[in-house]
Amino acid sequence: MSNRMWGGRFQSGPDAIMEEINASIGFDQRLYRQDIAGSIAHATMLQEVGILTAEDKDAIVAGLDHVRAEIEAGTFTFSRGLEDIHMNVESRLKELIGDAAGRLHTARSRNDQVATDFRLYVRDALDTLMAQISTLQLTLVQRAEEEVSTIMPGFTHLQNAQPVTFGHHLMAYVEMLGRDHGRFADARARLNENPLGSAALAGTPYPIDRQMTATALGFDRPTANSLDGVSDRDFVLETLSAAAICAMHLSRFAEELVIWSSAQFGFITLSDKFTTGSSIMPQKRNPDAAELIRAKVGRIMGAFTALIIVMKGLPLTYSKDMQEDKEVAFDALDSLSLSLAAMTGMVADLQPRRDRMRASAVVGFSTATDVADWLVRQANIPFREAHHITGRLVALCEERGIGLEGLTIEDFKSVDARIDSRIHKVLSVEASVAARTSFGGTAPENVAREAARWRSALTGEAAEPVAIKRTRGHGEGGLG
């Protein structure tokens, strides 16, 4: 039997394999809310311009509301023979209200219908992701305020470089996520045009009001070119590109959580909520949530790559290749949403081990740059010469197996007579971070001020910087 939705041209039904490759209802059924919303807006517009009677419009709207209720109640039967969500909804609508259902498709095509549905879906997903990003940012801000003075090593090449504060490190991810939020907001602004009314590709001879449906669906305007309206998938590609960058940021942080929670580093402890044990080694606490977040970037980037390869060779306008846009997008957006939720949970309840952080910050001559800077400021020595002098001091420490703070003033003078006892004031990690007061630096006052700025931006409420605790207790990471 031919397909009753488009079978007038065909005398027999599709081969079973054709039906298998052609059907999309297995994944595009999740578009039902957007599909029904678009159909209601379209029917309302058709009645307003005189194409539908009020009676038909009311029957269509009531029938669509009934279909939505069935789907949400789990009583709706999806048919693979009807291919997609659009034909499944329309078929059920006809069973409910009769011939009036056939008038719903006046002045539109499945081409502009699916383009509209997908834009609405991606827009909803972007709103959810942006809210999740803001929640993670606020969680990071809160933890940064708690750790505004906690000393830890800053790394380059994963080698100790200079001491920083844990709060400063956490705030770096707030900045990254802020850019992610901005990219999603930009993508949302560009996608917010309505393809509905483009019909198959050329527009329609019916006197429709595309601005009316655009307004009803929350779009800023109708798409300006019917060919582009049905064939554009830039909005998905841009969203997936932004999603891949965001996932990469989460992956970088997840990698740090894996490293920091290892026995070798011991900077943090992750809770039971986001770790698992071993089937054979009872001592193990595996950071599985962080590892899975780290891995998600692969499938999210893969989704972008898959879709851009699909699109790169397609002539205008619609080709069935474009059916491949949804599964990858659904999976990628679901994966990013889950990753954001998991990262927020881990950040909220991880426990820093401040003693271990500070102890690690001290090793590796992390205040060597402070010594060089002192030579420049106090002894008026050119930086390149100061760098060389400091290198000789480090070599002396390595010979004796001590840190820079273990050198006496005589030791310093043996390398360069211009050094005096004031040098000892810059050798502690606390002094090092406190001195980094340049804009964007790690000084606790800077971190507190930036955290307050972000808290205000994220909550819409005025926020004051947290008070800086100054203690002698180096074990707590306080400033001496």
Side-chain angles (χ1 to χ4, degrees), residues 114-122 233 235-236 325-326 329-330:
V114 68
T116 303
D117 291 357
F118 204 17
R119 280 181 188 252
L120 290 171
Y121 181 90
V122 172
R233 293 298 183 270
F235 66 95
V236 195
D325 58 359
K326 295 170 198 64
F330 293 158

Side-chain angles (χ1 to χ4, degrees), residues 110-371:
R110 280 192 296 172
N111 292 355
D112 61 338
Q113 191 177 354
V114 68
T116 303
D117 291 357
F118 204 17
R119 280 181 188 252
L120 290 171
Y121 181 90
V122 172
R123 190 178 70 184
D124 290 343
L126 284 169
D127 289 342
T128 297
L129 291 171
M130 286 190 287
Q132 287 186 284
I133 287 172
S134 294
T135 298
L136 176 53
Q137 286 180 291
L138 194 57
T139 305
L140 286 163
V141 166
Q142 179 178 336
R143 298 312 306 267
E145 289 175 332
E146 295 169 2
E147 310 299 335
V148 70
S149 299
T150 300
I151 304 294
M152 70 173 290
F155 299 98
T156 61
H157 309 277
L158 202 57
Q159 307 292 315
N160 274 26
Q162 294 176 296
V164 297
T165 66
F166 188 33
H168 191 54
H169 196 115
L170 294 174
M171 289 302 298
Y173 286 99
V174 176
E175 294 291 331
M176 293 182 213
L177 290 162
R179 295 192 295 274
D180 293 326
H181 192 286
R183 277 183 282 269
F184 283 136
D186 289 345
R188 191 192 193 284
R190 268 184 289 278
L191 77 74
N192 208 35
E193 295 183 347
N194 182 27
L196 196 59
S198 298
L201 73 161
T204 176
Y206 294 97
I208 61 173
D209 185 344
R210 294 189 63 208
Q211 183 59 55
M212 181 179 175
T213 54
T215 300
L217 295 170
F219 289 113
D220 294 329
R221 63 192 68 83
T223 53
N225 184 285
S226 61
L227 299 172
D228 183 53
V230 300
S231 64
D232 168 47
R233 293 298 183 270
D234 288 2
F235 66 95
V236 195
L237 288 167
E238 187 171 4
T239 297
L240 291 176
S241 174
I245 297 172
C246 183
M248 176 270 293
H249 290 150
L250 297 181
S251 179
R252 294 183 71 180
F253 195 17
E255 169 72 1
E256 292 188 319
L257 297 182
V258 170
I259 292 171
W260 292 347
S261 63
S262 68
Q264 290 75 16
F265 275 71
F267 287 2
I268 63 170
T269 300
L270 297 174
S271 76
D272 292 349
K273 296 178 183 178
F274 296 97
T275 55
T276 64
S278 166
S279 63
I280 190 173
M281 295 170 284
Q283 82 280 10
K284 294 293 293 299
R285 181 192 291 272
N286 299 323
D288 283 7
E291 291 171 355
L292 289 167
I293 290 171
R294 186 175 60 186
K296 293 293 186 186
V297 67
R299 66 198 300 168
I300 295 170
M301 177 58 76
F304 172 79
T305 303
L307 183 54
I308 202 167
I309 289 172
V310 167
M311 296 300 298
K312 75 174 183 62
L314 298 187
L316 296 181
T317 56
Y318 182 83
S319 297
K320 198 63 177 246
D321 311 50
M322 293 163 70
Q323 185 167 289
E324 290 295 306
D325 58 359
K326 295 170 198 64
E327 283 187 281
V328 292
F330 293 158
D331 181 77
L333 298 176
D334 287 348
S335 294
L336 182 57
S337 179
L338 181 59
S339 296
L340 286 165
M343 184 61 79
T344 301
M346 281 192 293
V347 171
D349 69 358
L350 67 82
Q351 294 300 313
R353 299 178 64 186
R354 300 181 181 93
D355 288 351
R356 290 289 295 266
M357 285 186 177
R358 187 189 183 279
S360 182
V362 171
V363 302
F365 310 105
S366 64
T367 58
T369 304
D370 297 273
V371 172

Side-chain angles (χ1 to χ4, degrees), residues 454-469:
W454 269 108
R455 179 178 288 278
S456 179
L458 291 165
T459 65
E461 300 175 359
E464 292 296 323
V466 296
I468 307 300
K469 295 180 182 179

